[in-house]
Amino acid sequence: MGSIEELRRLASSDYGSRSERAIWLQIYDRIGTALESGLLAEGERLPGEDDLATLFGVNRVTLRRALDRHQREGRLQARKGVGIFVRAPAVRYVVHRYEAFNESVCDDAAELRILSVTRRPPSPAARRGFDLGEGAEVFEMRNAIVIGETPVYLATKEFRVDVFAGLEEVVARGGTILDAYAAAGIPRYVRAETRISADFATETEASELQVSQGAPLLRSRSFNTDPDGRVIEVNAGCWPMFSVELVFASGVADIATDSPFDASPR
C-alpha cells in the first residue's frame, strides 16, 4: 500500500474533542506521526494543499496551520513553486576536541561548501580571544554543510590574519580548512570550548537553511587553540533543531577557562 493510501487511513480517523485540542493541532499530530514512522519518507513531496485538505476533511486555512508549524520546526521544507517536501532525518555530529565540526558529520553524503572568505573587523568574541586592538581585521569564512540539496549547518569562522596569511589563496585553489591550517604551519589544534544554545532562525538564516523564519535552531559557539594554547579560530554555527543529533565524544574532561565568550553581548 502506498504512502498516500496510508496517509489517507491516518487522516480518516475521527477527530477528538476540539475543546481539548484544536483540529489543526490534531492534524499536526497526525502528520508528525507519519513523519516519525517513516510513512512520509525523506525527500518525499507531499500532496498539494487542496488534496491534503480534502484528505483531512478540513479547509485550506486549517490545514496550512498544521503544515506551517512543521515547516517552522524544520520537519517539512517548502520549495517555492514546487511544493512541500519532507526534510532529511537528523544528522549525527560527534563533537571531539581535535576535530572540526565539518569532519564530525556521520553521513557519507555530507558536503562542505565554503561560501565566502572576506576580511572584516572582528566580532567581540574574536577581538577578546585574539587580543586584537582597534582597527584590526580577521578573515571571515562562511561555510555550509549540505546533504543532497538540503543544508543542515551554517557556520561563520573567524581566523587571525597574522596566522592564516595565505587563507584566501588556499580557498581560491580549492583547499579545505585543514589545508589552511597546514599552510599556516599548525599541525593540529584543540577545540578548547564549545557552547550550545537554542534560538530562532532569522530571515537570512531561514532562507539559507530552507526553513521558515522563526524555526527553532541550535547555535554553537566555539574556539580553537594551537598546541601552545593560543586562540586561533572562533566559530559560530547553527542547525535546524530537528535536523541534528549532537554526540559528545568521551575522553579526558577539560574545562576551558578565560573564555572569549564570557561577558560577550547576546
Side-chain angles (χ1 to χ4, degrees), residues 56-71:
F56 283 96
V58 296
N59 59 45
R60 287 181 63 181
V61 174
T62 300
L63 184 278
R64 190 173 293 146
R65 292 185 70 184
L67 293 178
D68 284 349
R69 181 160 179 172
H70 278 298
Q71 287 176 242

Side-chain angles (χ1 to χ4, degrees), residues 219-248:
R219 294 193 186 278
S220 67
R221 297 186 298 161
S222 60
F223 66 94
N224 297 338
T225 66
D226 64 14
D228 296 326
R230 177 180 54 168
V231 178
I232 51 175
E233 178 189 339
V234 170
N235 185 355
C238 62
W239 311 262
M241 185 175 292
F242 291 96
S243 296
V244 62
E245 178 183 31
L246 297 178
V247 179
F248 291 86

Side-chain angles (χ1 to χ4, degrees), residues 126-146:
R127 184 181 299 279
R128 282 190 296 274
F130 299 157
D131 192 23
L132 299 176
E134 292 296 326
E137 288 187 322
V138 296
F139 282 125
E140 177 191 83
M141 175 188 290
R142 298 190 67 254
N143 58 43
I145 293 177
V146 179

Side-chain angles (χ1 to χ4, degrees), residues 21 24-25 28-29 63-76 212 215-216 242:
R21 191 161 179 80
W24 75 268
L25 283 172
Y28 163 85
D29 293 339
L63 184 278
R64 190 173 293 146
R65 292 185 70 184
L67 293 178
D68 284 349
R69 181 160 179 172
H70 278 298
Q71 287 176 242
R72 288 198 306 272
E73 293 175 348
R75 294 185 179 96
L76 296 178
S212 298
F242 291 96

